[in-house]
Amino acid sequence: MNIDTETIQHRCTDPVFERGQTYRREGRIQQLDRFDDLVSAVVSGSNPYDVTIKFSGRSLETQCTCPYDGQGDCKHVIAVLLAIADDPPEDESERIEALLADVPVEELRAFVHEILATHSTAREQFLAQFGDEHKSVGEYREEIGRLFEQHADPVVFEAIDFSRFFDIAEQYRERDRYLAAATVYRAVFEEVDENFNWIDGSYDHYAQTLQTALDGYIDCVLATDPSPEDFDAYAGVLETRAAAESEINNRQFWRALDDLEDRYDE
């Protein structure tokens, strides 16, 4: 995790960098953990915000649940990056790997069983990784809809974290279960589009979420090598959204539809 102050400064505006320094000095980082190349943190602002930073070679992927939608990273991410540059957190993955090598299989199975019984998110990821079935679009949409309801006060100012759904979709893709992954992506873009009138902040975050879900859906649909009949059904999902009465995201859906059709014809 080789990162310096100069690199961090280039990732944000000067005012944000100064506020990130202040947050770091004030001890607002409540939790900072590392597992391999992924750092997770909780930073105290007007609310506690979850920050995730993934180091991948020379690139960084950052995410924060705060409502910031300006240029570059937010002050919470900057505070965490400064903390990492000053004192990189210990990598817990090495200790976990050592323990896994020594834990008896039956004890490990019992531990996994308890975790799956009490943590629905872990259970869903487990099923995506090893199961043969998957939830419907409607079931995923209900879960996403509840997130909007929980964050609406009465409108949504903050950036809702949809990473759990994208992680599940990625697990399906790694197993070549492209239709299952497409189901997750479709649920995300449909529900985000449906609830866009609730959003009053973090517009870039939701626009990017919508685009990521659309890109994933298109990739997965094409990966199935669909018949003309199946393709029409998949394309119809996008066309329905593009032609909806609400014009907030119509252009984004029309562009996605054009992209799908162009790539299918290649």
Side-chain angles (χ1 to χ4, degrees):
M1 297 199 164
N2 186 18
I3 189 168
D4 54 34
T5 302
E6 183 178 357
T7 300
I8 297 171
Q9 282 183 290
H10 290 157
R11 295 185 58 86
C12 63
T13 63
D14 291 340
V16 168
F17 182 76
E18 293 177 5
R19 288 195 287 271
Q21 286 181 309
T22 300
Y23 268 46
R24 165 76 171 127
R25 287 195 304 268
E26 292 177 349
R28 289 177 175 264
I29 301 175
Q30 300 177 344
Q31 179 183 336
L32 184 63
D33 299 305
R34 174 187 174 189
F35 193 92
D36 198 8
D37 293 328
L38 182 67
V39 172
S40 58
V42 177
V43 181
S44 176
S46 53
N47 291 294
Y49 296 113
D50 296 323
V51 172
T52 55
I53 300 172
K54 185 175 182 180
F55 288 77
S56 179
R58 296 182 179 180
S59 64
L60 285 177
E61 297 178 19
T62 62
Q63 188 172 30
C64 181
T65 57
C66 78
Y68 178 75
D69 60 358
Q71 181 181 352
D73 288 323
C74 68
K75 58 190 174 185
H76 310 102
V77 168
I78 297 303
V80 175
L81 288 174
L82 289 169
I84 295 171
D86 182 53
D87 185 18
E90 180 182 355
D91 183 3
E92 292 187 87
S93 67
E94 297 175 1
R95 183 172 56 175
I96 297 298
E97 289 293 341
L99 286 172
L100 283 174
D102 296 331
V103 176
V105 173
E106 288 305 315
E107 291 185 22
L108 185 59
R109 286 175 63 90
F111 176 79
V112 171
H113 185 275
E114 182 177 353
I115 293 295
L116 295 178
T118 55
H119 294 77
S120 60
T121 298
R123 186 163 61 246
E124 190 170 14
Q125 291 178 328
F126 179 85
L127 291 171
Q129 184 67 35
F130 301 106
D132 294 326
E133 298 180 357
H134 63 85
K135 293 181 179 179
S136 66
V137 172
E139 289 173 314
Y140 281 122
R141 285 193 59 174
E142 286 182 8
E143 294 181 26
I144 299 167
R146 285 195 292 270
L147 287 178
F148 277 97
E149 292 175 0
Q150 292 166 7
H151 285 78
D153 188 28
V155 295
V156 178
F157 292 102
E158 300 182 352
I160 297 175
D161 184 5
F162 300 101
S163 60
R164 176 170 71 89
F165 299 97
F166 289 126
D167 288 344
I168 291 170
E170 186 59 32
Q171 286 179 300
Y172 281 130
R173 294 178 71 166
E174 289 175 356
R175 298 177 60 201
D176 296 337
R177 296 190 61 195
Y178 297 110
L179 288 182
T183 296
V184 182
Y185 289 128
R186 175 182 170 182
V188 173
F189 69 65
E190 286 190 342
E191 199 63 22
V192 170
D193 182 49
E194 194 74 22
N195 290 281
F196 225 88
N197 59 319
W198 282 21
I199 297 169
D200 192 20
S202 301
Y203 297 108
D204 287 349
H205 167 76
Y206 290 101
Q208 183 58 55
T209 296
L210 192 68
Q211 191 60 53
T212 300
L214 287 169
D215 291 342
Y217 178 80
I218 291 170
D219 289 342
C220 289
V221 165
L222 294 174
T224 67
D225 192 19
S227 66
E229 294 77 12
D230 288 339
F231 176 81
D232 288 342
Y234 300 138
V237 171
L238 300 179
E239 187 172 3
T240 298
R241 284 283 151 186
E245 291 183 6
S246 173
E247 299 181 356
I248 298 176
N249 301 307
N250 293 47
R251 291 184 180 180
Q252 205 163 350
F253 280 105
W254 282 123
R255 287 196 299 268
L257 180 60
D258 289 342
D259 181 32
L260 177 61
E261 292 175 339
D262 289 345
R263 291 171 61 184
Y264 183 68
D265 293 334
E266 288 179 356

